[in-house]
Amino acid sequence: GAGVSQTPSNKVTEKGKYVELRCDPISGHTALYWYRQSLGQGPEFLIYFQGTGAADDSGLPNDRFFAVRPEGSVSTLKIQRTERGDSAVYLCASSLIGQGHSPLHFGNGTRLTVT
Amino acid sequence: DQQVKQNSPSLSVQEGRISILNCDYTNSMFDYFLWYKKYPAEGPTFLISISSIKDKNEDGRFTVFLNKSAKHLSLHIVPSQPGDSAVYFCAADNAGNMLTFGGGTRLMVKP
């Protein structure tokens, strides 16, 4: 596909469970970002990868959240011991470069609901 | 502490008229500003951007104005079309794409 792909599109889980959210960026995009959008708010930055390494993880809310990008392409956002407050749409974006101002291309997001 | 604010949660405009969406920011280190458009169940899509060294950028029906002294930017859509109905987010950047987004404005263009 030509765009950023996120799976699953919807995920319902019980409080306390572990979840993984996947992002396939646009081919050739070296920079990858995770954002979280809560109801009625704008997207909030979580973490940014340049290649395989996390260049900035200052937006991760706590140590229950972790993300990897082992081969510099697909990324997985992992949430341990989920809480109801984690319910949100998790957006992934990619861009050609991480420096400068290349527009971010977003996927359609994964809607996470923690019951 | 919201560094980027969109104070109007919604805006309703008649088809063919001008839509003006506003955005204010507090961080003077922001040097690049973007507008994104979002339809339901889709991710935000890039619309238009402006560097802090400019005060206006135009792309077809869309124009973004930047007033650095007031820390204010606006998006003008003219003429507005029903297909423009969406949520619009402004975003600001000071460090290479770690964007800070506003809360969004829902635009409804009535036929």
PDB file of all heavy atoms in Angstrom, chain B residues 59-98:
ATOM      1  N   ASP B  59      -2.179  28.161  -1.273  1.00  0.00           N
ATOM      2  CA  ASP B  59      -2.228  26.958  -2.099  1.00  0.00           C
ATOM      3  C   ASP B  59      -3.671  26.743  -2.515  1.00  0.00           C
ATOM      4  O   ASP B  59      -4.480  26.194  -1.768  1.00  0.00           O
ATOM      5  CB  ASP B  59      -1.701  25.746  -1.320  1.00  0.00           C
ATOM      6  CG  ASP B  59      -1.667  24.486  -2.167  1.00  0.00           C
ATOM      7  OD1 ASP B  59      -2.012  24.539  -3.374  1.00  0.00           O
ATOM      8  OD2 ASP B  59      -1.289  23.428  -1.626  1.00  0.00           O
ATOM      9  N   GLY B  60      -3.974  27.225  -3.723  1.00  0.00           N
ATOM     10  CA  GLY B  60      -5.338  27.081  -4.210  1.00  0.00           C
ATOM     11  C   GLY B  60      -6.330  27.831  -3.340  1.00  0.00           C
ATOM     12  O   GLY B  60      -6.178  29.043  -3.123  1.00  0.00           O
ATOM     13  N   ARG B  61      -7.329  27.132  -2.829  1.00  0.00           N
ATOM     14  CA  ARG B  61      -8.357  27.781  -2.009  1.00  0.00           C
ATOM     15  C   ARG B  61      -7.892  28.022  -0.566  1.00  0.00           C
ATOM     16  O   ARG B  61      -8.632  28.635   0.220  1.00  0.00           O
ATOM     17  CB  ARG B  61      -9.613  26.904  -1.988  1.00  0.00           C
ATOM     18  CG  ARG B  61     -10.280  26.706  -3.345  1.00  0.00           C
ATOM     19  CD  ARG B  61     -11.602  25.951  -3.231  1.00  0.00           C
ATOM     20  NE  ARG B  61     -11.406  24.593  -2.731  1.00  0.00           N
ATOM     21  CZ  ARG B  61     -11.867  24.168  -1.572  1.00  0.00           C
ATOM     22  NH1 ARG B  61     -12.546  24.978  -0.766  1.00  0.00           N
ATOM     23  NH2 ARG B  61     -11.660  22.913  -1.202  1.00  0.00           N
ATOM     24  N   PHE B  62      -6.725  27.525  -0.229  1.00  0.00           N
ATOM     25  CA  PHE B  62      -6.248  27.577   1.156  1.00  0.00           C
ATOM     26  C   PHE B  62      -5.107  28.582   1.308  1.00  0.00           C
ATOM     27  O   PHE B  62      -4.155  28.566   0.529  1.00  0.00           O
ATOM     28  CB  PHE B  62      -5.772  26.194   1.601  1.00  0.00           C
ATOM     29  CG  PHE B  62      -6.824  25.122   1.481  1.00  0.00           C
ATOM     30  CD1 PHE B  62      -6.962  24.378   0.326  1.00  0.00           C
ATOM     31  CD2 PHE B  62      -7.701  24.894   2.528  1.00  0.00           C
ATOM     32  CE1 PHE B  62      -7.947  23.406   0.211  1.00  0.00           C
ATOM     33  CE2 PHE B  62      -8.692  23.925   2.424  1.00  0.00           C
ATOM     34  CZ  PHE B  62      -8.813  23.189   1.258  1.00  0.00           C
ATOM     35  N   THR B  63      -5.231  29.449   2.297  1.00  0.00           N
ATOM     36  CA  THR B  63      -4.176  30.411   2.607  1.00  0.00           C
ATOM     37  C   THR B  63      -3.940  30.398   4.106  1.00  0.00           C
ATOM     38  O   THR B  63      -4.904  30.444   4.883  1.00  0.00           O
ATOM     39  CB  THR B  63      -4.566  31.830   2.176  1.00  0.00           C
ATOM     40  OG1 THR B  63      -4.867  31.839   0.766  1.00  0.00           O
ATOM     41  CG2 THR B  63      -3.426  32.809   2.437  1.00  0.00           C
ATOM     42  N   VAL B  64      -2.682  30.342   4.493  1.00  0.00           N
ATOM     43  CA  VAL B  64      -2.337  30.433   5.905  1.00  0.00           C
ATOM     44  C   VAL B  64      -1.617  31.752   6.137  1.00  0.00           C
ATOM     45  O   VAL B  64      -0.744  32.143   5.364  1.00  0.00           O
ATOM     46  CB  VAL B  64      -1.499  29.220   6.378  1.00  0.00           C
ATOM     47  CG1 VAL B  64      -0.256  29.044   5.542  1.00  0.00           C
ATOM     48  CG2 VAL B  64      -1.154  29.343   7.851  1.00  0.00           C
ATOM     49  N   PHE B  65      -2.032  32.448   7.181  1.00  0.00           N
ATOM     50  CA  PHE B  65      -1.433  33.707   7.593  1.00  0.00           C
ATOM     51  C   PHE B  65      -0.766  33.522   8.942  1.00  0.00           C
ATOM     52  O   PHE B  65      -1.334  32.887   9.830  1.00  0.00           O
ATOM     53  CB  PHE B  65      -2.494  34.806   7.711  1.00  0.00           C
ATOM     54  CG  PHE B  65      -3.166  35.153   6.413  1.00  0.00           C
ATOM     55  CD1 PHE B  65      -4.327  34.515   6.011  1.00  0.00           C
ATOM     56  CD2 PHE B  65      -2.626  36.131   5.585  1.00  0.00           C
ATOM     57  CE1 PHE B  65      -4.954  34.842   4.816  1.00  0.00           C
ATOM     58  CE2 PHE B  65      -3.241  36.468   4.385  1.00  0.00           C
ATOM     59  CZ  PHE B  65      -4.407  35.813   3.995  1.00  0.00           C
ATOM     60  N   LEU B  66       0.426  34.119   9.085  1.00  0.00           N
ATOM     61  CA  LEU B  66       1.147  34.030  10.346  1.00  0.00           C
ATOM     62  C   LEU B  66       1.462  35.429  10.859  1.00  0.00           C
ATOM     63  O   LEU B  66       2.032  36.246  10.139  1.00  0.00           O
ATOM     64  CB  LEU B  66       2.449  33.249  10.163  1.00  0.00           C
ATOM     65  CG  LEU B  66       3.369  33.163  11.384  1.00  0.00           C
ATOM     66  CD1 LEU B  66       2.689  32.437  12.538  1.00  0.00           C
ATOM     67  CD2 LEU B  66       4.687  32.477  11.021  1.00  0.00           C
ATOM     68  N   ASN B  67       1.080  35.689  12.092  1.00  0.00           N
ATOM     69  CA  ASN B  67       1.407  36.952  12.767  1.00  0.00           C
ATOM     70  C   ASN B  67       2.298  36.604  13.957  1.00  0.00           C
ATOM     71  O   ASN B  67       1.810  36.223  15.017  1.00  0.00           O
ATOM     72  CB  ASN B  67       0.122  37.645  13.220  1.00  0.00           C
ATOM     73  CG  ASN B  67       0.396  38.991  13.874  1.00  0.00           C
ATOM     74  OD1 ASN B  67       1.471  39.232  14.434  1.00  0.00           O
ATOM     75  ND2 ASN B  67      -0.578  39.874  13.839  1.00  0.00           N
ATOM     76  N   LYS B  68       3.609  36.721  13.745  1.00  0.00           N
ATOM     77  CA  LYS B  68       4.552  36.283  14.773  1.00  0.00           C
ATOM     78  C   LYS B  68       4.475  37.134  16.028  1.00  0.00           C
ATOM     79  O   LYS B  68       4.616  36.626  17.142  1.00  0.00           O
ATOM     80  CB  LYS B  68       5.985  36.307  14.225  1.00  0.00           C
ATOM     81  CG  LYS B  68       6.332  35.123  13.362  1.00  0.00           C
ATOM     82  CD  LYS B  68       7.777  35.167  12.927  1.00  0.00           C
ATOM     83  CE  LYS B  68       8.733  35.071  14.087  1.00  0.00           C
ATOM     84  NZ  LYS B  68      10.148  35.084  13.621  1.00  0.00           N
ATOM     85  N   SER B  69       4.262  38.419  15.858  1.00  0.00           N
ATOM     86  CA  SER B  69       4.238  39.287  17.039  1.00  0.00           C
ATOM     87  C   SER B  69       3.061  38.947  17.935  1.00  0.00           C
ATOM     88  O   SER B  69       3.139  39.033  19.159  1.00  0.00           O
ATOM     89  CB  SER B  69       4.196  40.758  16.633  1.00  0.00           C
ATOM     90  OG  SER B  69       3.031  41.012  15.871  1.00  0.00           O
ATOM     91  N   ALA B  70       1.961  38.527  17.315  1.00  0.00           N
ATOM     92  CA  ALA B  70       0.779  38.144  18.094  1.00  0.00           C
ATOM     93  C   ALA B  70       0.769  36.658  18.417  1.00  0.00           C
ATOM     94  O   ALA B  70      -0.130  36.193  19.130  1.00  0.00           O
ATOM     95  CB  ALA B  70      -0.480  38.514  17.328  1.00  0.00           C
ATOM     96  N   LYS B  71       1.719  35.911  17.892  1.00  0.00           N
ATOM     97  CA  LYS B  71       1.761  34.454  18.043  1.00  0.00           C
ATOM     98  C   LYS B  71       0.419  33.851  17.626  1.00  0.00           C
ATOM     99  O   LYS B  71      -0.236  33.105  18.381  1.00  0.00           O
ATOM    100  CB  LYS B  71       2.129  34.050  19.467  1.00  0.00           C
ATOM    101  CG  LYS B  71       3.546  34.428  19.891  1.00  0.00           C
ATOM    102  CD  LYS B  71       3.908  33.762  21.214  1.00  0.00           C
ATOM    103  CE  LYS B  71       5.347  34.035  21.590  1.00  0.00           C
ATOM    104  NZ  LYS B  71       5.586  35.445  21.930  1.00  0.00           N
ATOM    105  N   HIS B  72       0.031  34.199  16.421  1.00  0.00           N
ATOM    106  CA  HIS B  72      -1.285  33.812  15.928  1.00  0.00           C
ATOM    107  C   HIS B  72      -1.171  33.397  14.471  1.00  0.00           C
ATOM    108  O   HIS B  72      -0.466  34.036  13.680  1.00  0.00           O
ATOM    109  CB  HIS B  72      -2.253  34.998  16.058  1.00  0.00           C
ATOM    110  CG  HIS B  72      -3.611  34.725  15.509  1.00  0.00           C
ATOM    111  ND1 HIS B  72      -4.594  34.098  16.231  1.00  0.00           N
ATOM    112  CD2 HIS B  72      -4.149  34.983  14.284  1.00  0.00           C
ATOM    113  CE1 HIS B  72      -5.687  33.984  15.483  1.00  0.00           C
ATOM    114  NE2 HIS B  72      -5.441  34.521  14.300  1.00  0.00           N
ATOM    115  N   LEU B  73      -1.869  32.321  14.114  1.00  0.00           N
ATOM    116  CA  LEU B  73      -1.984  31.977  12.707  1.00  0.00           C
ATOM    117  C   LEU B  73      -3.429  31.654  12.385  1.00  0.00           C
ATOM    118  O   LEU B  73      -4.226  31.320  13.273  1.00  0.00           O
ATOM    119  CB  LEU B  73      -1.050  30.842  12.292  1.00  0.00           C
ATOM    120  CG  LEU B  73      -1.212  29.439  12.851  1.00  0.00           C
ATOM    121  CD1 LEU B  73      -0.641  28.442  11.852  1.00  0.00           C
ATOM    122  CD2 LEU B  73      -0.463  29.300  14.158  1.00  0.00           C
ATOM    123  N   SER B  74      -3.754  31.779  11.115  1.00  0.00           N
ATOM    124  CA  SER B  74      -5.110  31.495  10.680  1.00  0.00           C
ATOM    125  C   SER B  74      -5.076  30.785   9.335  1.00  0.00           C
ATOM    126  O   SER B  74      -4.139  30.953   8.550  1.00  0.00           O
ATOM    127  CB  SER B  74      -5.943  32.774  10.606  1.00  0.00           C
ATOM    128  OG  SER B  74      -5.396  33.675   9.678  1.00  0.00           O
ATOM    129  N   LEU B  75      -6.107  30.015   9.109  1.00  0.00           N
ATOM    130  CA  LEU B  75      -6.294  29.310   7.842  1.00  0.00           C
ATOM    131  C   LEU B  75      -7.563  29.850   7.207  1.00  0.00           C
ATOM    132  O   LEU B  75      -8.619  29.856   7.837  1.00  0.00           O
ATOM    133  CB  LEU B  75      -6.437  27.801   8.073  1.00  0.00           C
ATOM    134  CG  LEU B  75      -6.782  26.955   6.849  1.00  0.00           C
ATOM    135  CD1 LEU B  75      -5.613  26.948   5.854  1.00  0.00           C
ATOM    136  CD2 LEU B  75      -7.144  25.534   7.251  1.00  0.00           C
ATOM    137  N   HIS B  76      -7.436  30.324   5.971  1.00  0.00           N
ATOM    138  CA  HIS B  76      -8.580  30.818   5.233  1.00  0.00           C
ATOM    139  C   HIS B  76      -8.902  29.838   4.108  1.00  0.00           C
ATOM    140  O   HIS B  76      -7.994  29.439   3.358  1.00  0.00           O
ATOM    141  CB  HIS B  76      -8.285  32.199   4.633  1.00  0.00           C
ATOM    142  CG  HIS B  76      -8.148  33.282   5.653  1.00  0.00           C
ATOM    143  ND1 HIS B  76      -8.472  34.597   5.390  1.00  0.00           N
ATOM    144  CD2 HIS B  76      -7.740  33.255   6.943  1.00  0.00           C
ATOM    145  CE1 HIS B  76      -8.243  35.327   6.472  1.00  0.00           C
ATOM    146  NE2 HIS B  76      -7.806  34.532   7.419  1.00  0.00           N
ATOM    147  N   ILE B  77     -10.159  29.495   3.994  1.00  0.00           N
ATOM    148  CA  ILE B  77     -10.613  28.620   2.919  1.00  0.00           C
ATOM    149  C   ILE B  77     -11.669  29.396   2.140  1.00  0.00           C
ATOM    150  O   ILE B  77     -12.699  29.776   2.691  1.00  0.00           O
ATOM    151  CB  ILE B  77     -11.235  27.316   3.454  1.00  0.00           C
ATOM    152  CG1 ILE B  77     -10.270  26.615   4.430  1.00  0.00           C
ATOM    153  CG2 ILE B  77     -11.585  26.385   2.299  1.00  0.00           C
ATOM    154  CD1 ILE B  77     -10.897  25.416   5.141  1.00  0.00           C
ATOM    155  N   VAL B  78     -11.362  29.653   0.867  1.00  0.00           N
ATOM    156  CA  VAL B  78     -12.338  30.384   0.072  1.00  0.00           C
ATOM    157  C   VAL B  78     -12.284  29.947  -1.386  1.00  0.00           C
ATOM    158  O   VAL B  78     -11.196  29.879  -1.955  1.00  0.00           O
ATOM    159  CB  VAL B  78     -12.123  31.916   0.225  1.00  0.00           C
ATOM    160  CG1 VAL B  78     -10.686  32.297  -0.168  1.00  0.00           C
ATOM    161  CG2 VAL B  78     -13.098  32.718  -0.592  1.00  0.00           C
ATOM    162  N   PRO B  79     -13.418  29.621  -2.007  1.00  0.00           N
ATOM    163  CA  PRO B  79     -14.716  29.468  -1.379  1.00  0.00           C
ATOM    164  C   PRO B  79     -14.819  28.137  -0.639  1.00  0.00           C
ATOM    165  O   PRO B  79     -14.232  27.139  -1.065  1.00  0.00           O
ATOM    166  CB  PRO B  79     -15.673  29.491  -2.569  1.00  0.00           C
ATOM    167  CG  PRO B  79     -14.869  28.897  -3.684  1.00  0.00           C
ATOM    168  CD  PRO B  79     -13.450  29.341  -3.462  1.00  0.00           C
ATOM    169  N   SER B  80     -15.563  28.098   0.437  1.00  0.00           N
ATOM    170  CA  SER B  80     -15.752  26.861   1.198  1.00  0.00           C
ATOM    171  C   SER B  80     -16.680  25.923   0.429  1.00  0.00           C
ATOM    172  O   SER B  80     -17.632  26.355  -0.223  1.00  0.00           O
ATOM    173  CB  SER B  80     -16.354  27.175   2.569  1.00  0.00           C
ATOM    174  OG  SER B  80     -15.523  28.052   3.296  1.00  0.00           O
ATOM    175  N   GLN B  81     -16.375  24.627   0.552  1.00  0.00           N
ATOM    176  CA  GLN B  81     -17.172  23.601  -0.122  1.00  0.00           C
ATOM    177  C   GLN B  81     -17.628  22.569   0.909  1.00  0.00           C
ATOM    178  O   GLN B  81     -16.937  22.346   1.914  1.00  0.00           O
ATOM    179  CB  GLN B  81     -16.332  22.906  -1.201  1.00  0.00           C
ATOM    180  CG  GLN B  81     -15.847  23.838  -2.295  1.00  0.00           C
ATOM    181  CD  GLN B  81     -14.891  23.161  -3.257  1.00  0.00           C
ATOM    182  OE1 GLN B  81     -14.506  22.006  -3.070  1.00  0.00           O
ATOM    183  NE2 GLN B  81     -14.499  23.886  -4.309  1.00  0.00           N
ATOM    184  N   PRO B  82     -18.747  21.899   0.676  1.00  0.00           N
ATOM    185  CA  PRO B  82     -19.219  20.886   1.647  1.00  0.00           C
ATOM    186  C   PRO B  82     -18.170  19.823   1.955  1.00  0.00           C
ATOM    187  O   PRO B  82     -18.082  19.339   3.079  1.00  0.00           O
ATOM    188  CB  PRO B  82     -20.447  20.300   0.956  1.00  0.00           C
ATOM    189  CG  PRO B  82     -20.965  21.420   0.109  1.00  0.00           C
ATOM    190  CD  PRO B  82     -19.727  22.132  -0.392  1.00  0.00           C
ATOM    191  N   GLY B  83     -17.344  19.474   0.976  1.00  0.00           N
ATOM    192  CA  GLY B  83     -16.287  18.487   1.196  1.00  0.00           C
ATOM    193  C   GLY B  83     -15.188  18.961   2.124  1.00  0.00           C
ATOM    194  O   GLY B  83     -14.349  18.166   2.559  1.00  0.00           O
ATOM    195  N   ASP B  84     -15.189  20.259   2.445  1.00  0.00           N
ATOM    196  CA  ASP B  84     -14.213  20.785   3.403  1.00  0.00           C
ATOM    197  C   ASP B  84     -14.621  20.491   4.839  1.00  0.00           C
ATOM    198  O   ASP B  84     -13.838  20.720   5.768  1.00  0.00           O
ATOM    199  CB  ASP B  84     -14.057  22.306   3.236  1.00  0.00           C
ATOM    200  CG  ASP B  84     -13.492  22.710   1.887  1.00  0.00           C
ATOM    201  OD1 ASP B  84     -12.704  21.927   1.300  1.00  0.00           O
ATOM    202  OD2 ASP B  84     -13.852  23.805   1.402  1.00  0.00           O
ATOM    203  N   SER B  85     -15.830  20.016   5.036  1.00  0.00           N
ATOM    204  CA  SER B  85     -16.311  19.715   6.388  1.00  0.00           C
ATOM    205  C   SER B  85     -15.434  18.623   7.006  1.00  0.00           C
ATOM    206  O   SER B  85     -15.346  17.509   6.487  1.00  0.00           O
ATOM    207  CB  SER B  85     -17.773  19.266   6.350  1.00  0.00           C
ATOM    208  OG  SER B  85     -18.602  20.304   5.862  1.00  0.00           O
ATOM    209  N   ALA B  86     -14.790  18.960   8.101  1.00  0.00           N
ATOM    210  CA  ALA B  86     -13.821  18.063   8.748  1.00  0.00           C
ATOM    211  C   ALA B  86     -13.352  18.749  10.024  1.00  0.00           C
ATOM    212  O   ALA B  86     -13.760  19.869  10.323  1.00  0.00           O
ATOM    213  CB  ALA B  86     -12.629  17.808   7.828  1.00  0.00           C
ATOM    214  N   VAL B  87     -12.472  18.077  10.753  1.00  0.00           N
ATOM    215  CA  VAL B  87     -11.807  18.709  11.888  1.00  0.00           C
ATOM    216  C   VAL B  87     -10.437  19.192  11.416  1.00  0.00           C
ATOM    217  O   VAL B  87      -9.702  18.441  10.761  1.00  0.00           O
ATOM    218  CB  VAL B  87     -11.647  17.741  13.067  1.00  0.00           C
ATOM    219  CG1 VAL B  87     -10.900  18.420  14.222  1.00  0.00           C
ATOM    220  CG2 VAL B  87     -13.012  17.254  13.550  1.00  0.00           C
ATOM    221  N   TYR B  88     -10.112  20.433  11.724  1.00  0.00           N
ATOM    222  CA  TYR B  88      -8.852  21.029  11.314  1.00  0.00           C
ATOM    223  C   TYR B  88      -7.972  21.230  12.549  1.00  0.00           C
ATOM    224  O   TYR B  88      -8.397  21.820  13.546  1.00  0.00           O
ATOM    225  CB  TYR B  88      -9.090  22.365  10.615  1.00  0.00           C
ATOM    226  CG  TYR B  88      -9.706  22.178   9.245  1.00  0.00           C
ATOM    227  CD1 TYR B  88     -11.065  21.907   9.114  1.00  0.00           C
ATOM    228  CD2 TYR B  88      -8.930  22.243   8.087  1.00  0.00           C
ATOM    229  CE1 TYR B  88     -11.633  21.702   7.863  1.00  0.00           C
ATOM    230  CE2 TYR B  88      -9.493  22.046   6.832  1.00  0.00           C
ATOM    231  CZ  TYR B  88     -10.839  21.776   6.733  1.00  0.00           C
ATOM    232  OH  TYR B  88     -11.404  21.571   5.496  1.00  0.00           O
ATOM    233  N   PHE B  89      -6.729  20.740  12.448  1.00  0.00           N
ATOM    234  CA  PHE B  89      -5.761  20.899  13.528  1.00  0.00           C
ATOM    235  C   PHE B  89      -4.637  21.798  13.055  1.00  0.00           C
ATOM    236  O   PHE B  89      -4.089  21.598  11.964  1.00  0.00           O
ATOM    237  CB  PHE B  89      -5.162  19.552  13.926  1.00  0.00           C
ATOM    238  CG  PHE B  89      -6.129  18.603  14.564  1.00  0.00           C
ATOM    239  CD1 PHE B  89      -6.729  17.593  13.823  1.00  0.00           C
ATOM    240  CD2 PHE B  89      -6.432  18.713  15.905  1.00  0.00           C
ATOM    241  CE1 PHE B  89      -7.627  16.713  14.410  1.00  0.00           C
ATOM    242  CE2 PHE B  89      -7.328  17.837  16.513  1.00  0.00           C
ATOM    243  CZ  PHE B  89      -7.925  16.837  15.751  1.00  0.00           C
ATOM    244  N   CYS B  90      -4.266  22.766  13.857  1.00  0.00           N
ATOM    245  CA  CYS B  90      -3.014  23.443  13.602  1.00  0.00           C
ATOM    246  C   CYS B  90      -1.927  22.765  14.425  1.00  0.00           C
ATOM    247  O   CYS B  90      -2.208  22.160  15.471  1.00  0.00           O
ATOM    248  CB  CYS B  90      -3.091  24.945  13.873  1.00  0.00           C
ATOM    249  SG  CYS B  90      -3.173  25.413  15.587  1.00  0.00           S
ATOM    250  N   ALA B  91      -0.709  22.821  13.935  1.00  0.00           N
ATOM    251  CA  ALA B  91       0.417  22.185  14.605  1.00  0.00           C
ATOM    252  C   ALA B  91       1.641  23.072  14.465  1.00  0.00           C
ATOM    253  O   ALA B  91       1.771  23.812  13.490  1.00  0.00           O
ATOM    254  CB  ALA B  91       0.681  20.803  14.004  1.00  0.00           C
ATOM    255  N   ALA B  92       2.515  22.998  15.448  1.00  0.00           N
ATOM    256  CA  ALA B  92       3.726  23.813  15.450  1.00  0.00           C
ATOM    257  C   ALA B  92       4.940  22.928  15.689  1.00  0.00           C
ATOM    258  O   ALA B  92       4.849  21.901  16.375  1.00  0.00           O
ATOM    259  CB  ALA B  92       3.626  24.883  16.526  1.00  0.00           C
ATOM    260  N   ASP B  93       6.061  23.351  15.140  1.00  0.00           N
ATOM    261  CA  ASP B  93       7.271  22.534  15.149  1.00  0.00           C
ATOM    262  C   ASP B  93       8.465  23.416  15.496  1.00  0.00           C
ATOM    263  O   ASP B  93       8.624  24.485  14.929  1.00  0.00           O
ATOM    264  CB  ASP B  93       7.433  21.926  13.759  1.00  0.00           C
ATOM    265  CG  ASP B  93       8.668  21.062  13.626  1.00  0.00           C
ATOM    266  OD1 ASP B  93       9.318  20.761  14.644  1.00  0.00           O
ATOM    267  OD2 ASP B  93       8.990  20.686  12.489  1.00  0.00           O
ATOM    268  N   ASN B  94       9.299  22.945  16.432  1.00  0.00           N
ATOM    269  CA  ASN B  94      10.520  23.694  16.719  1.00  0.00           C
ATOM    270  C   ASN B  94      11.758  22.829  16.711  1.00  0.00           C
ATOM    271  O   ASN B  94      12.844  23.294  16.981  1.00  0.00           O
ATOM    272  CB  ASN B  94      10.408  24.408  18.077  1.00  0.00           C
ATOM    273  CG  ASN B  94      10.448  23.436  19.234  1.00  0.00           C
ATOM    274  OD1 ASN B  94      10.113  22.275  19.067  1.00  0.00           O
ATOM    275  ND2 ASN B  94      10.834  23.906  20.396  1.00  0.00           N
ATOM    276  N   ALA B  95      11.581  21.538  16.427  1.00  0.00           N
ATOM    277  CA  ALA B  95      12.751  20.660  16.555  1.00  0.00           C
ATOM    278  C   ALA B  95      12.742  19.563  15.507  1.00  0.00           C
ATOM    279  O   ALA B  95      13.178  18.466  15.781  1.00  0.00           O
ATOM    280  CB  ALA B  95      12.782  20.065  17.954  1.00  0.00           C
ATOM    281  N   GLY B  96      12.232  19.852  14.342  1.00  0.00           N
ATOM    282  CA  GLY B  96      12.267  18.833  13.307  1.00  0.00           C
ATOM    283  C   GLY B  96      11.191  17.775  13.459  1.00  0.00           C
ATOM    284  O   GLY B  96      11.485  16.613  13.685  1.00  0.00           O
ATOM    285  N   ASN B  97       9.942  18.194  13.344  1.00  0.00           N
ATOM    286  CA  ASN B  97       8.836  17.246  13.217  1.00  0.00           C
ATOM    287  C   ASN B  97       8.285  16.654  14.493  1.00  0.00           C
ATOM    288  O   ASN B  97       7.446  15.774  14.434  1.00  0.00           O
ATOM    289  CB  ASN B  97       9.173  16.125  12.230  1.00  0.00           C
ATOM    290  CG  ASN B  97       9.125  16.602  10.797  1.00  0.00           C
ATOM    291  OD1 ASN B  97       8.717  17.727  10.534  1.00  0.00           O
ATOM    292  ND2 ASN B  97       9.527  15.771   9.882  1.00  0.00           N
ATOM    293  N   MET B  98       8.717  17.086  15.679  1.00  0.00           N
ATOM    294  CA  MET B  98       7.968  16.693  16.880  1.00  0.00           C
ATOM    295  C   MET B  98       6.851  17.713  17.045  1.00  0.00           C
ATOM    296  O   MET B  98       6.973  18.705  17.742  1.00  0.00           O
ATOM    297  CB  MET B  98       8.864  16.685  18.111  1.00  0.00           C
ATOM    298  CG  MET B  98       9.410  15.321  18.402  1.00  0.00           C
ATOM    299  SD  MET B  98      10.712  14.834  17.260  1.00  0.00           S
ATOM    300  CE  MET B  98      12.102  15.683  17.996  1.00  0.00           C
TER     301      MET B  98
END
